[in-house]
Amino acid sequence: GAGVSQSPSNKVTEKGKDVELRCDPISGHTALYWYRQSLGQGLEFLIYFQGNSAPDKSGLPSDRFSAERTGGSVSTLTIQRTQQEDSAVYLCASSLALGGLEQYFGPGTRLTVT
Amino acid sequence: AQSVTQLGSHVSVSEGALVLLRCNYSSSVPPYLFWYVQYPNQGLQLLLKYTSAATLVKGINGFEAEFKKSETSFHLTKPSAHMSDAAEYFCGLTGGGADGLTFGKGTHLIIQP
């Protein structure tokens, strides 16, 4: 079946612009996660959704980052007023439910802020 | 708090030799442990997982890992390396609750012909 998909695969943006990154989880997966992968920080967990709800936003790097999920499916990670330190690969994952189950990862969106 | 330490940012082995990638963890609750592989410009692919059942876990592509609570380790092994195993490997941990995975820094596996 179809895996987790993310779009765009690559995004180059100018410092100060807003960007939206999209994640389509595996059908039927209620849990969705966002991670950031960068050279300096490795793989960082950002936020998770159970259904459309994100109970804990403390992992988001700054208040310029926000995420939403609608219809229990597609999720969007928005970065406002991008900075060069936001350059990274943003990975999305989904799992059947919360609670230690394996997460299936998408191919990621490579964001470059110039 | 939880953390994952992968010893060795780069590991080089000869084709056909044993692969051993080390992972140690720290967790205040019984952990769920995972190994993922990442090929260039791709996402992470699950190799295997430990979820409190058998301590020796077999995964895809001939990999296996053993959970040792006394050593807080979850090392990944493969008896005979293949050129196609060259990739980045990540050990990850979750407490089983509503949290994301905590990953180690990754180990880049190099296979020498």
Side-chain angles (χ1 to χ4, degrees):
Chain A
V4 178
S5 62
Q6 293 185 246
S7 61
S9 55
N10 280 283
K11 177 71 176 179
V12 180
T13 190
E14 292 180 354
K15 178 181 172 181
K17 300 284 190 183
D18 297 352
V19 295
E20 283 190 355
L21 312 180
R22 176 188 168 107
C23 172
D24 269 286
I26 293 172
S27 177
H29 281 195
T30 61
L32 185 147
Y33 308 81
W34 283 98
Y35 294 84
R36 180 170 70 174
Q37 185 175 25
S38 57
L39 280 176
Q41 300 297 322
L43 272 160
E44 301 171 82
F45 166 66
L46 300 180
I47 193 171
Y48 78 89
F49 287 87
Q50 175 58 30
N52 293 332
S53 174
D56 183 0
K57 297 181 171 65
S58 63
L60 295 175
S62 76
D63 58 9
R64 296 184 294 103
F65 286 70
S66 63
E68 66 175 15
R69 188 179 185 193
T70 55
S73 180
V74 172
S75 177
T76 302
L77 179 69
T78 301
I79 309 173
Q80 295 179 309
R81 305 180 303 282
T82 52
Q83 303 294 314
Q84 287 188 330
E85 61 262 29
D86 299 334
S87 295
V89 176
Y90 290 83
L91 292 166
C92 175
S94 69
S95 65
L96 274 172
L98 292 175
L101 300 179
E102 56 264 43
Q103 297 177 20
Y104 295 87
F105 283 78
T109 293
R110 182 175 297 277
L111 175 65
T112 303
V113 182
T114 61
Chain B
Q2 52 197 27
S3 65
V4 176
T5 302
Q6 290 184 240
L7 297 175
S9 59
H10 291 77
V11 170
S12 179
V13 302
S14 299
E15 190 175 18
L18 171 73
V19 174
L20 170 61
L21 304 183
R22 298 178 188 274
C23 173
N24 287 89
Y25 69 90
S26 174
S27 177
S28 56
V29 298
Y32 293 86
L33 292 157
F34 303 82
W35 275 100
Y36 283 85
V37 61
Q38 186 178 35
Y39 298 100
N41 299 314
Q42 295 186 27
L44 278 69
Q45 179 184 3
L46 180 68
L47 278 178
L48 50 79
K49 62 179 181 179
Y50 167 76
T51 56
S52 76
T55 56
L56 182 62
V57 181
K58 294 187 184 298
I60 62 171
N61 301 339
F63 285 95
E64 63 181 38
E66 186 171 9
F67 172 72
K68 292 186 176 180
K69 184 178 179 180
S70 61
E71 299 177 8
T72 60
S73 69
F74 190 57
H75 301 331
L76 182 70
T77 60
K78 181 174 180 177
S80 178
H82 191 272
M83 295 299 290
S84 61
D85 295 326
E88 191 83 14
Y89 291 79
F90 292 93
C91 182
L93 173 156
T94 179
D99 55 354
L101 287 162
T102 299
F103 285 100
K105 296 289 188 186
T107 298
H108 185 62
L109 178 62
I110 301 161
I111 310 297
Q112 304 281 1

